[in-house]
Amino acid sequence: MGKETLTVTDNRTGKIYELPIEHGTIRATDLRQIKAETDDFGLMSYDPAYMNTAECKSTITYIDGDKGILEYRGYPIEQLAEHSNYLEVAYLLIYGDLPNQERLAWWRNRISRHTFIHNNLVELIQAFRYDAHPMGILISCVSAMSTLFPDAKNVDDPAVREKQIWRIIGQVPTIAAYAYRNRIGRPFNQPDNSLSYTANLLYMMDYMNQRDYEVNPVLAKALDVLFILHADHEQNCSTATMRGVGSSRVDPYSALSAATAALYGPLHGGANEAVLRMLQQIGNVKNVPDFIDRVKKGEGRLMGFGHRVYKNYDPRAKIIRKVAYEVFEATDSNPLLEIAVELERIALQDEYFIARKLYPNVDFYSGLIYQALGFPMEYFPFLFAIPRAAGWLTQWLEMLDDPEQKIMRPRQVYLGASQRDYVPLEQR
């Protein structure tokens, strides 16, 4: 075995530097010693969009994109989706281990005690236009919670942090349901804490005072699996935002509101909506081959395929495909599913997509499931945000407890004008 170092020769000066390697990385600040002149700032790494920069050490989520592996705290996502439930997975993320029966009961009780939202939040939701985008409502409501719970600003107190976690995980589904009911002009349903986490969400959104009303257990289970799959996904755009804003030591509501705003973007939380629009555009199974040909000619985009991280079949997509069929057996059939299946079949056999490692990702089927559950497309990012709240909060906790972390302050490469003298207005 050689030394765990990297030898760098600066051809500008002929000097040789030896940089330590730790966990397959070098510290960017170690590059600062490499200078052409003694008064230079030092060498920096330039990495637009953080394509190859690790900004933290983490013990939460492990991804191997080439092998199609996703693990929470070391547990394969396939096992968690099959055997666990969302609240148990949220506990695993936040506390680091699976709970025993006593701790799980305690955890569920803590969350259920915080499902009711402040009356001021109810009034805030009602103040929005009926057609306001639900993500705008969520961003506003979560941000407003920082004013309702001012104790949350004491982020260095573990007990205070924990209480905000209970509040956020408990109340975000209620905000989602109330935003939906406000949109359709219906009275709000209070949470029913005798139901599971996802069944309660479906109840609050759907209940219309019917006799003998029951949430379909197949649909509640499907939503629970989707929530598990979306609970965390390492250092993506919204998670990096949560960490970046949280590094200023702001309260978790403000940081989570910023993370939600990042998720609002169509390249992040809106990807499954783009898949549905693509399938609607194709219109019929017989049109799939022609659509594939146009994509290969650069005349269209194959939405729901490929991923920044995964260069193999997204492990979440394999799970969600099975869930989609279970949902459609319990609801009305959807012709878009047939188009999706045929599109996937052809793409997975086509050398054009195989060579580019374009495999289905989690967004390819999730939109179909949400649509079958009765959610409007505008609510898809919200349904992403509800479970991701646990991941964001876990990443926030880890960032706060990491002694190496400071307030985030990226560097830049300045290419603007050099120093210029001000010219009075009348002389220009």
Side-chain angles (χ1 to χ4, degrees):
M1 291 290 292
K3 292 199 301 181
E4 288 291 305
T5 61
L6 176 70
T7 300
V8 178
T9 301
D10 186 347
N11 293 321
R12 300 171 301 175
T13 62
K15 290 183 180 180
I16 298 175
Y17 302 86
E18 191 169 355
L19 310 180
I21 297 174
E22 182 183 19
H23 306 300
T25 68
I26 62 168
R27 288 185 176 268
T29 52
D30 285 344
L31 297 173
R32 290 277 300 275
Q33 63 184 295
I34 304 176
K35 302 180 179 184
E37 303 289 342
T38 55
D39 59 348
D40 280 357
F41 177 82
L43 206 62
M44 293 190 298
S45 59
Y46 177 61
D47 190 10
Y50 300 109
M51 296 285 286
N52 193 43
T53 295
E55 61 90 17
C56 67
K57 296 174 182 175
S58 182
T59 62
I60 301 167
T61 298
Y62 172 73
I63 298 174
D64 187 325
D66 291 331
K67 296 179 180 177
I69 294 173
L70 170 61
E71 297 173 350
Y72 296 159
R73 301 288 192 183
Y75 292 95
I77 192 66
E78 294 84 356
Q79 294 181 21
L80 294 173
E82 182 177 357
H83 301 295
S84 189
N85 58 70
Y86 173 70
L87 277 187
E88 185 179 56
V89 168
Y91 181 99
L92 168 67
L93 289 172
I94 289 168
Y95 294 103
D97 291 298
L98 289 171
N100 58 26
Q101 289 186 359
E102 181 181 355
R103 285 291 291 179
L104 184 57
W106 168 85
W107 171 245
R108 285 172 172 160
N109 179 261
R110 292 294 92 193
I111 301 302
S112 67
R113 285 172 60 88
H114 292 85
T115 54
F116 288 78
I117 64 175
H118 197 288
N119 282 338
N120 289 161
L121 282 187
V122 177
E123 294 168 359
L124 177 59
I125 293 170
Q126 291 173 324
F128 280 90
R129 280 176 51 99
Y130 75 93
D131 59 350
H133 198 289
M135 285 296 278
I137 297 175
L138 177 60
I139 292 166
S140 300
C141 285
V142 173
S143 180
M145 289 172 74
S146 69
T147 67
L148 299 175
F149 308 113
D151 58 316
K153 292 178 171 55
N154 188 7
V155 298
D156 292 319
D157 186 330
V160 171
R161 292 188 211 168
E162 191 175 41
K163 191 165 187 177
Q164 313 321 309
I165 290 170
W166 301 336
R167 283 172 172 160
I168 291 171
I169 295 177
Q171 294 182 21
V172 166
T174 308
I175 296 171
Y178 283 20
Y180 174 75
R181 298 288 287 196
N182 190 63
R183 182 187 184 93
I184 63 175
R186 302 293 185 186
F188 300 156
N189 292 318
Q190 297 291 340
D192 182 349
N193 290 326
S194 68
L195 300 173
S196 72
Y197 190 78
T198 50
N200 187 35
L201 172 60
L202 293 174
Y203 159 78
M204 288 190 291
M205 298 185 77
D206 189 48
Y207 180 60
M208 297 292 291
N209 206 31
Q210 306 99 315
R211 290 184 178 180
D212 302 322
Y213 173 85
E214 281 187 38
V215 175
N216 188 321
V218 174
L219 305 187
K221 174 61 178 176
L223 191 57
D224 203 72
V225 171
L226 282 169
F227 277 14
I228 290 172
L229 300 181
H230 284 125
D232 194 59
H233 207 241
E234 205 224 53
Q235 303 306 312
N236 50 74
C237 176
S238 56
T239 299
T241 301
M242 183 77 183
R243 281 178 169 266
V245 175
S247 71
S248 72
R249 288 304 195 265
V250 73
D251 65 86
Y253 301 104
S254 298
L256 197 132
S257 178
T260 306
L263 188 67
Y264 195 175
L267 296 183
H268 196 0
N272 49 18
E273 180 180 342
V275 172
L276 271 189
R277 296 193 187 280
M278 175 190 70
L279 296 176
Q280 291 169 346
Q281 177 188 351
I282 295 172
N284 194 290
V285 173
K286 66 181 182 182
N287 298 330
V288 171
D290 178 63
F291 175 78
I292 290 286
D293 288 340
R294 286 191 285 113
V295 169
K296 291 161 67 173
K297 293 175 183 177
E299 299 173 359
R301 290 188 63 189
L302 184 60
M303 308 305 297
F305 278 67
H307 195 277
R308 171 75 72 84
V309 174
Y310 296 111
K311 304 307 175 188
N312 202 322
Y313 207 112
D314 184 338
R316 301 170 299 171
K318 294 179 181 179
I319 299 167
I320 215 168
R321 189 178 191 272
K322 179 175 178 290
V323 172
Y325 280 96
E326 293 172 352
V327 167
F328 283 113
E329 287 180 5
T331 59
D332 296 332
S333 61
N334 188 340
L336 295 183
L337 179 64
E338 298 178 12
I339 299 173
V341 171
E342 180 66 6
L343 188 63
E344 179 186 44
R345 186 189 68 81
I346 293 177
L348 290 179
Q349 294 176 358
D350 194 304
E351 185 58 35
Y352 176 90
F353 301 104
I354 295 173
R356 289 162 174 77
K357 298 184 178 180
L358 294 176
Y359 300 95
N361 59 41
V362 70
D363 297 309
F364 188 67
Y365 281 103
S366 62
L368 288 169
I369 297 174
Y370 290 145
Q371 188 181 60
L373 294 176
F375 294 107
M377 278 197 284
E378 294 83 359
Y379 274 80
F380 293 178
F382 208 136
L383 294 166
F384 197 149
I386 294 172
R388 184 55 61 87
W392 287 333
L393 290 165
T394 304
Q395 299 277 350
W396 172 72
L397 288 174
E398 187 175 67
M399 181 273 302
L400 290 177
D401 290 334
D402 185 348
E404 289 189 320
Q405 293 294 328
K406 297 178 174 62
I407 184 170
M408 187 172 289
R409 179 53 163 91
R411 296 289 180 177
Q412 68 169 15
V413 178
Y414 178 70
L415 300 176
S418 56
Q419 184 176 1
R420 298 187 286 182
D421 291 327
Y422 178 81
V423 178
L425 180 61
E426 61 274 10
Q427 298 179 21
R428 290 179 226 158

